[in-house]
């Protein structure tokens, strides 16, 4: 069977070591050997998330950790600032509304990033706002927000900063403690190179003060239960044993290469993909592109939905289309996790083929050549983990 080449921003391809770990006989989660593994994995997550604060692990997709942030930090009637600009940013707004939070939205055009000054202005206009919700890599538009600048501004207010780094972690820089981000959420199926099913949340002392006072209803996501269990290297509810065992393996690969090198690897794939897009006369959708995902505007006269379908049908290369209003208007190549230079080249070749089939005029092979040049000698080194 021809293997699919996943160039999607979740799920991402799994390294062989992770696949092997997923196939091992299951062990019980309340044993000393599992506790030791869980402890090691959570310490590894602290390194991956660049924080000395505890990291809590939930059995859910990434959105579960987003919900945990809202339910644990706020009380009904509280005001929260939500930076918009994409489908995932809008999820913060939906979550806040579900819990009776008054949302102060900061509108941002799709493909654009928030001006940090807009966050400063919103905080000045709403001094009682308890939290600022934002997104590191907005996967739906391919941008990366300037979280460092937003953190510097938010730290001067009484609000806590919550960052959705679900797709951005290990792709874009996210210096949790150094930049002063209070809460970071992430998920397993993107840069961590795991199947979907685990979500993580780091909470610093400033944010924890809110957890103790919040009155939003919560049960499965009640972080007070997770804190108590973590003291015994345990979870309050049954741990997703095989996925955590696989996390331990993935973290070995990540820590062996190093967090900065993981990010550089993504950046290299991103540069190669963008060089190819530009050589083919295509334009990027994002004003400040993330290393994790490249969003490209579908050229005029080309059917965007057909484009991604042809890439998959002919070449088994899976890229993401546009979500919501962006459907058919953009397509997205992911670079995060276990995606190799060879995958990037296969993706570009598939794109060239599909563009030609749909009548787009460009010189065949020009994209692949540009990607190869960008990958250059570094490709061998970057491919070493594969
Ligand atoms: C993937 C993703 C999510 C979470 O999605 P789940 O399907 O719940 O895992 C949230 N935010 C961003 C930016 C994402 O890329």
């Amino acid at each position: 069977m021809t293997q699919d080449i996943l160039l999607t921003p979740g799920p991402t391809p799994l390294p062989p070591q992770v696949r092997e770990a997923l196939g091992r006989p299951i062990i019980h989660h309340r044993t000393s050997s599992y506790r030791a593994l869980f402890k090691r994995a959570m310490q590894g997550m602290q390194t991956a998330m660049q924080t000395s604060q505890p990291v809590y692990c939930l059995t859910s997709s990434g959105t579960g950790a987003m919900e945990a942030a809202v339910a644990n930090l706020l009380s009904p009637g509280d005001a929260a600032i939500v930076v918009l600009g994409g489908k995932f940013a809008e999820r913060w707004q939906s979550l806040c509304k579900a819990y009776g939070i008054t949302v102060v939205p900061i509108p941002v055009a799709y493909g654009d990033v928030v001006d940090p000054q807009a966050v400063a202005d919103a905080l000045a206009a709403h001094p009682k706002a308890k939290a600022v919700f934002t997104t590191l890599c907005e996967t739906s538009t391919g941008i990366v927000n300037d979280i460092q600048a937003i953190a510097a501004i938010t730290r001067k207010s009484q609000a806590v900063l919550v960052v959705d780094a679900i797709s951005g972690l290990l792709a874009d820089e996210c210096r949790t403690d150094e930049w002063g981000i209070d809460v970071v959420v992430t998920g397993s199926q993107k840069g961590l190179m795991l199947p979907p099913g685990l979500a993580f949340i780091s909470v610093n002392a400033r944010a924890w003060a809110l957890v103790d006072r919040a009155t939003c209803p919560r049960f499965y996501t009640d972080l007070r239960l997770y804190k108590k269990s973590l003291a015994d290297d345990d979870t309050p509810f049954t741990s997703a044993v095989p996925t955590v065992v696989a996390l331990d393996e993935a973290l070995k690969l990540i820590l062996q290469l190093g967090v900065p090198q993981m990010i550089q690897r993504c950046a290299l794939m991103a540069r190669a993909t963008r060089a190819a897009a530009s050589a083919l006369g295509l334009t990027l959708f994002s004003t400040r592109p993330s290393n994790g995902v490249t969003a490209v505007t579908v050229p005029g006269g080309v059917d965007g939905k057909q484009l991604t379908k042809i890439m998959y049908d002919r070449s088994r290369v899976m890229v993401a289309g546009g979500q919501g209003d962006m459907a058919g208007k953009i397509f997205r190549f992911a670079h995060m996790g276990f995606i190799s230079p060879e995958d990037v080249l296969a993706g570009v070749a598939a794109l060239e083929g599909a563009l030609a089939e749909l009548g787009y005029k460009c010189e065949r092979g020009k994209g692949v050549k540009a990607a190869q040049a960008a990958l250059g000698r570094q490709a061998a080194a970057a491919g070493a983990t594969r």
Side-chain angles (χ1 to χ4, degrees), residues 9 61-63 66 88 91 135 137 139 164 166-167 189-190:
S61 78
T63 306
M66 296 174 73
F88 292 104
R91 189 165 297 179
T135 312
C137 165
T139 322
D164 169 357
I166 294 174
S167 66
Q189 79 275 28
K190 316 233 169 156

Side-chain angles (χ1 to χ4, degrees), residues 18-194:
V18 167
R19 284 189 277 148
E20 179 275 318
L22 289 166
R24 288 181 206 164
I26 197 158
I27 56 172
H28 197 274
H29 57 293
R30 301 234 153 91
T31 53
S32 56
S33 55
Y34 186 73
R35 278 181 215 268
L37 184 149
F38 186 74
K39 181 179 186 176
R40 183 166 69 232
M42 290 310 107
Q43 286 170 343
M45 281 307 297
Q46 289 177 298
T47 307
M49 295 175 81
Q50 303 201 44
T51 181
S52 61
Q53 302 300 322
V55 174
Y56 305 103
C57 177
L58 291 92
T59 302
S60 71
S61 78
T63 306
M66 296 174 73
E67 179 149 357
V70 172
N72 281 276
L73 296 170
L74 302 172
S75 304
D78 279 351
I81 294 165
V82 176
V83 174
L84 295 175
K87 299 313 285 179
F88 292 104
E90 288 160 13
R91 189 165 297 179
W92 281 129
Q93 186 172 37
S94 304
L95 275 164
C96 284
K97 285 185 177 163
Y99 282 91
I101 309 304
T102 303
V103 172
V104 177
I106 300 182
V108 176
Y110 286 172
D112 221 339
V113 290
V114 71
D115 177 355
Q117 185 56 41
V119 178
D121 294 345
L123 282 165
H126 303 272
K128 290 217 174 89
K130 285 230 179 93
V132 174
F133 291 96
T134 184
T135 312
L136 178 63
C137 165
E138 172 53 68
T139 322
S140 67
T141 66
I143 60 91
V144 57
N145 276 307
D146 187 351
I147 298 298
Q148 184 176 14
I150 296 169
I153 288 163
T154 309
R155 223 169 344 167
K156 289 187 222 141
S157 76
Q158 63 135 29
V160 294
L161 177 63
V162 184
V163 175
D164 169 357
I166 294 174
S167 66
L169 193 80
L170 300 171
D172 294 305
E173 200 58 75
C174 184
R175 301 193 182 178
T176 304
D177 288 357
E178 191 184 318
W179 291 351
I181 312 170
D182 301 293
V183 175
V184 173
V185 300
T186 196
S188 53
Q189 79 275 28
K190 316 233 169 156
L192 287 167
M193 313 184 286
L194 292 168

Side-chain angles (χ1 to χ4, degrees), residues 178-359:
E178 191 184 318
W179 291 351
I181 312 170
D182 301 293
V183 175
V184 173
V185 300
T186 196
S188 53
Q189 79 275 28
K190 316 233 169 156
L192 287 167
M193 313 184 286
L194 292 168
L198 296 179
F200 306 92
I201 179 167
S202 73
V203 183
N204 71 7
R206 192 163 172 258
W208 198 269
L210 290 179
V211 176
D212 286 327
R213 290 201 302 269
T215 62
C216 275
R218 52 194 146 148
F219 185 76
Y220 186 77
T221 64
D222 191 338
L223 292 177
R224 294 167 297 187
L225 304 177
Y226 288 80
K227 186 183 194 180
K228 201 157 158 264
S229 293
L230 195 65
D232 297 323
D233 303 312
D234 201 354
T235 46
F237 311 105
T238 310
S239 188
V241 173
T243 322
V244 173
V245 170
L247 169 66
D248 186 44
E249 288 302 324
L251 283 166
K252 281 181 199 162
L253 297 174
I254 292 164
L255 302 182
Q256 200 174 19
L257 187 64
V259 171
Q261 288 75 16
M262 287 291 292
I263 294 171
Q264 280 164 26
R265 199 181 130 81
C266 268
L268 175 63
M269 310 293 163
R271 278 200 303 277
T273 305
R274 284 161 207 168
S278 149
L280 295 172
L282 303 171
T283 52
L284 294 192
F285 183 65
S286 331
T287 56
R288 193 171 188 269
S290 158
N291 294 329
V293 53
T294 293
V296 181
T297 305
V298 174
V302 170
D303 181 333
K305 286 181 185 163
Q306 276 301 315
L307 185 72
T308 52
K309 184 176 184 301
I310 290 171
M311 287 175 73
Y312 185 69
D313 290 349
R314 306 274 186 273
S315 317
R316 287 280 168 250
V317 168
M318 185 80 191
V319 298
Q323 295 167 273
D325 294 348
M326 294 168 279
K329 294 179 186 154
I330 62 169
F331 56 92
R332 297 170 295 143
F333 277 77
H335 317 296
M336 60 192 76
F338 195 59
I339 288 170
S340 71
E342 293 73 30
D343 295 335
V344 171
L345 296 175
V348 173
L351 171 65
E352 289 190 9
L355 283 170
E357 196 170 325
L358 292 170

